[in-house]
Each structure stands twice: as structure tokens, then as C-alpha cells.
Amino acid sequence: MTFLSQHLLTALVFLPVAGAAAIAFTRREAERAQKLLGLGVSTAVFLLSLLLVRGFEAVPAMQFVEQRAWLPAYGISYHLGVDGLSLWLVVLTAFLTPLCLLGSWSSIDHRVREFGIFMLLLEAGMMGVFVSLDLFLFYVFWEAMLIPMYFLIGIWGHERRIYAAVKFFLFTFAGSVLMLVAFLVLYRASHTQTFDIATLARFPVDAGLQVWLFAACALAFAIKVPMWPFHTWLPDAHVEAPTAGSVILAGVLLKMGGYGFLRVAFPLFPAAALRFAPLLGVLAVIGIIYGALVSLVQPDLKKLVAYSSVAHLGFVMLGIASLTTTAMVGSVYQMLNHGVSTGALFFLVGMLYDRRHTRVIAQFGGLKNVMPWYAAIFLLVCLSSMGVPGFNGFVGEFLILIGSWPFSQPLTVVASLGVVLAAAYILWMVQRVLYGEVTNERNRALADLSAREAAILLPLVALALFMGVASPLFTRSIEPSVDSLVRQVRQHAGPAPLASSALAPAPGPPGATRP
């Protein structure tokens, strides 16, 4: 094993930090050099992340593990690793960051140096969360990413940016504090005296205490997902953030809530997880229907996409709550899908805003007549977001619905209505923005996609199609880790309250997995 492969995860986490430090030492007026440096470093991180994919084996064990004692007196270690739960989220983070920096090339025209620094620090924090196997380290990275995101919204956002930034920070920080308290109580209550996640998972604490600790962690993760009714910070943050902030927020940050349930809450508190699963399932389905209905009546294009995220991530949480392998694999896959599809939608909305400085849907119409390439990609991305067969969104939703059927048939039926509602609000949006006559004279002179914009959107569209037709390449590496988690939860939690049919075989969907 080479030095690089032994320290690949460290490189992924700290190369962006080094890049941020390098940008900090550039002259303020050297804006082009700062942009090139940020783009170069983030591209290098993406290329490094592909080495993870190349060397990853589809087994449940942690891989590329690095462990060093950090604060041994307190059982804290620098412990990193990836498995099927985190592998593709790391790659997604590395994939979206250079696209965000390229997308901000012309729209960010003040404090360029600080923008590059915060984007790279944000990437480092996100990477750290996905590869941390120590609760203390997990918390440090979780908190570290709040600060750059706060400044990205507060400095480069729109009119109500300060309000949105403060609201984002207060919501997520409140959840983080509860999570920290839960970690400290767990450390004191367990006999292992360690923050190591794998060790703590082998020796769960008393079932009564698990309820309180799970509730504290679940609240932090539910805010981040965001799960109804803890979602209210999301529309403000999305609408007021710059395009890059919205893409990273939707593409990666929201996934940390779902990832937190899978990496921390479920394995450490298995008895409580099974006890709370029905409640999580109900809240998830409410979020699916609520997000879709609110999207239907949104006059603002960006707010429509923001509320659609509440619905899409409701599917993710339904799959996690189902605690079947099929549904949970679908949830992990749906997190990736949402990052690709909704990230592309936010890019498209941002490109339109750069041209017209408005996001009001009524201001558009007939854009396919003046921006045919933009319209074609807009339509493809919308089909992906709707979950049309052949696109990535279909696979995730299919796995979740078929896997959640044994968990709760009524919830699955109601959730499936969300698919219909999604088709309604997305197609209505497409009709109002792209089709019909050009009724607003200001739209007649709009320029079609530039080469830079095409370079941002085409990889996202290609990935959406590739994930739609080649899903086994992804789910094959996700399934062993998910299956191991499901078995671990059931083993430590005792007899499952779910229907026995939850363990029965189900038909194999695309990217076949078993429940």
C-alpha cells in the first residue's frame, strides 16, 4: 500500500484546508489567481476521491482506515474510514465543490478571496463528517462546517441574507448542542470510556437511556435533513444563499442529517431506533406530502426547488425509518440522486437569475424559443427530479417504496402520492417557464448557455442518466454496509416490532438489493 493510499482520507480532508491557506496568502486584487487556485485544489480533491472508488471493495468493513491516538486520556482518537454508507457521499462532495466554484466564476465579484477560502473550508468540514469514526471528531467537523456556510449566506446572499444566515445557524447550532450533550452522556454512561463509534456500537447502553440519547441526536439530524416540522430554516437559507451555497446546501449539507441517523443514531441506540421508527416514518411521509403541496403554490422558482427538497428528503427518511435493507439502500441512493438533480436545478435557477435578476415564475415563459439548450437541459433535470424511469431519481424512490411496504403499507401508499404530486408541480413549473409564447419582452434577448455553464450542467445530466441505467455499480457497494447495519440494529435491539414480512424477500428492483 502506498503512502497516498494509507493517508488518502487525510488528504481529502486537509487538502482543501491547505488550498484555503494558500488563497489567504494571495494579494486581494489577484482575483483570477484565487479563483484558479480554488478550482484547481477542489478538482484535485475530486480526482483523489476517485482513488477511493477504485480501491473500494464491496464489503461491510471500514476501508482506508487511519487511526491515531489524539487525546487518549479521554478516549478520543483521530479515526477515519469509509464504508458503503459514506463512500459515494464523499465522492459527491468532491464532485460538486469544483462545479460550484466554476458556477460562481462571474457571479461572485466581491470578496473573491474570502469566498474561495470559505468554500474550501466548507468542503473540508463536509469531508470530515463523512469519514469520521470517532464521535468527538465527528462533532468537531459537524460544527466546523457551520461557520463557512453561515458566512457564505450572510456575505454573498440576497436581500434577507443576514436573517437567513442567523436562522440557519441558530437552528443547526441548537441541534448540535443537543447532540454534543448526548455524546457526553453516552461517554460517561458506557463502560468503554471511548468516543470510538464502532466500539460504542458493540456495547449499547441501557435501553431506557437510549431513548433520551436517541431523541437528542435525532433532533439534531432531523433539523439538518430537514425533516418536517424542523424544516423552516431551509427555504430562507436556500432562497437567500448564493447559487453555490444553495447547491452545496442541497447537494451535501442536508445529507448529513440522514447520514447521522445511519452512522450514529441507529447503530449506537438500536432499541430506541426501533421504538422511534414509526414516528420517524410518519413525520417523513408528512414531509413528503407537505413539501409537494407547498411546492405546487410557490411563485418563486428557487423557493419551489427548496420545498421540493423537503419532499425528496422525506423519501430518504422513510427509507431509513423502514429499517429494511432495500429501503435503506434506496435512501442512501436517493441522497446521491437529490444531490445531483437538485444541485443541477439550483444551478439552472441561478443562471436564469444572473440574466434576469428575478426568480418569479410569472416573469418567464416561452424560454425554449430563445434558450433552446438551456430548455433542453432544464427539462432533462426536471425528469430526473421527478423520478422518471431511466433517470437516477426513479431508482431511489422505487427502492424506498418497495422496501418500506413491509414496514407500513399505509405510509407507503400515502408516500407514493408524493410521486404524483412531484410530477404535478415539476411539470407545471416546466410549462410556465419553458413553453408558450414569450410574453415578456425582456426574455427575448436572453443568451443561451455559455460554454462555462454547459461545462457545469452536462456532467450533472450525464451522471443523472448514468445513475439511472447503471445503478448496480453504486448499490453494490452500498448494500453490504446497509445490510450489516440492519442486522446490527436488530441483534442489539432484540425482537423487532416490525412485521415479520420485513425480512421476507422482495422482487429485485434496478440495482437489486434484498430487504
Side-chain angles (χ1 to χ4, degrees), residues 11-29:
L12 286 170
V13 174
F14 290 102
L15 183 56
V17 177
I23 293 176
F25 283 104
T26 60
R27 292 180 295 110
R28 179 169 292 279
E29 58 272 19

Side-chain angles (χ1 to χ4, degrees), residues 134-423:
D134 181 282
L135 285 180
F136 185 82
L137 199 60
F138 179 90
Y139 178 79
V140 167
F141 285 121
W142 183 280
E143 288 295 277
M145 71 187 175
L146 290 185
I147 298 169
M149 193 68 217
Y150 169 83
F151 284 113
L152 285 172
I153 299 173
I155 296 176
W156 294 277
H158 301 290
E159 291 79 8
R160 298 172 69 242
R161 58 185 179 275
I162 300 300
Y163 168 77
V166 171
K167 190 174 182 180
F168 161 78
F169 189 87
L170 290 179
F171 264 72
T172 49
F173 186 69
S176 302
V177 170
L178 284 175
M179 182 172 70
L180 176 61
V181 171
F183 288 173
L184 295 176
V185 173
L186 176 63
Y187 173 77
R188 299 299 301 176
S190 72
H191 301 294
T192 56
Q193 296 296 294
T194 179
F195 283 94
D196 187 79
I197 294 175
T199 304
L200 289 168
R202 284 198 295 272
F203 307 100
V205 294
D206 175 74
L209 181 60
Q210 283 188 37
V211 172
W212 295 102
L213 300 184
F214 181 89
C217 288
L219 185 58
F221 301 142
I223 290 172
K224 186 73 81 178
V225 167
M227 199 171 186
W228 185 91
F230 309 108
H231 67 284
T232 58
W233 62 271
L234 178 72
D236 292 311
H238 265 317
V239 170
E240 300 304 325
T243 297
S246 296
V247 173
I248 287 294
L249 198 58
V252 183
L253 256 67
L254 304 187
K255 313 305 179 311
M256 291 181 178
Y259 178 75
F261 276 104
L262 295 171
R263 176 65 72 213
V264 176
F266 274 52
L268 297 189
F269 316 115
L274 280 177
R275 185 170 173 179
F276 277 94
L279 175 61
L280 292 175
V282 170
L283 295 179
V285 171
I286 292 175
I288 292 171
I289 302 301
Y290 169 83
L293 290 175
V294 177
S295 296
L296 269 172
V297 297
Q298 285 306 312
D300 184 296
L301 204 51
K302 200 171 185 183
K303 194 170 279 190
L304 187 156
V305 180
Y307 274 106
S308 75
S309 293
V310 177
H312 286 306
L313 291 163
F315 278 103
V316 170
M317 285 309 304
L318 175 62
I320 291 174
S322 298
L323 260 174
T324 64
T325 301
T326 300
M328 293 177 84
V329 169
S331 290
V332 176
Y333 203 65
Q334 187 66 1
M335 286 196 273
L336 305 175
N337 295 333
H338 182 262
V340 173
S341 303
T342 306
L345 274 176
F346 276 119
F347 273 126
L348 286 160
V349 173
M351 291 167 186
L352 211 51
Y353 183 83
D354 289 343
R355 289 163 169 77
R356 282 292 318 279
H357 299 290
T358 180
R359 298 184 301 263
V360 177
I361 296 175
Q363 291 287 320
F364 301 105
L367 291 188
K368 76 174 182 58
N369 300 312
V370 293
M371 304 171 67
W373 286 108
Y374 177 90
I377 291 182
F378 192 98
L379 182 60
L380 288 173
V381 172
C382 285
L383 293 176
S384 160
S385 187
M386 282 168 50
V388 171
F391 288 89
N392 53 344
F394 171 76
V395 181
E397 290 181 353
F398 183 80
L399 290 172
I400 291 169
L401 289 176
I402 201 170
S404 62
W405 182 262
F407 166 67
S408 172
Q409 295 175 11
L411 288 179
T412 305
V413 170
V414 177
S416 63
L417 295 177
V419 178
V420 179
L421 290 171

Side-chain angles (χ1 to χ4, degrees), residues 409-482:
Q409 295 175 11
L411 288 179
T412 305
V413 170
V414 177
S416 63
L417 295 177
V419 178
V420 179
L421 290 171
Y425 69 73
I426 290 175
L427 289 177
W428 194 30
M429 174 184 69
V430 169
Q431 184 261 320
R432 287 179 290 169
V433 173
L434 299 184
Y435 293 98
E437 296 298 322
V438 180
T439 55
N440 191 318
E441 291 303 316
R442 296 183 63 188
N443 292 334
R444 292 190 186 281
L446 292 182
D448 207 344
L449 292 178
S450 66
R452 178 181 60 83
E453 291 169 334
I456 295 166
L457 294 173
L458 288 178
L460 290 165
V461 173
L463 186 56
L465 285 166
F466 182 71
M467 292 177 70
V469 299
S471 56
L473 292 177
F474 299 86
T475 56
R476 191 179 298 133
S477 54
I478 298 170
E479 184 182 356
S481 298
V482 168

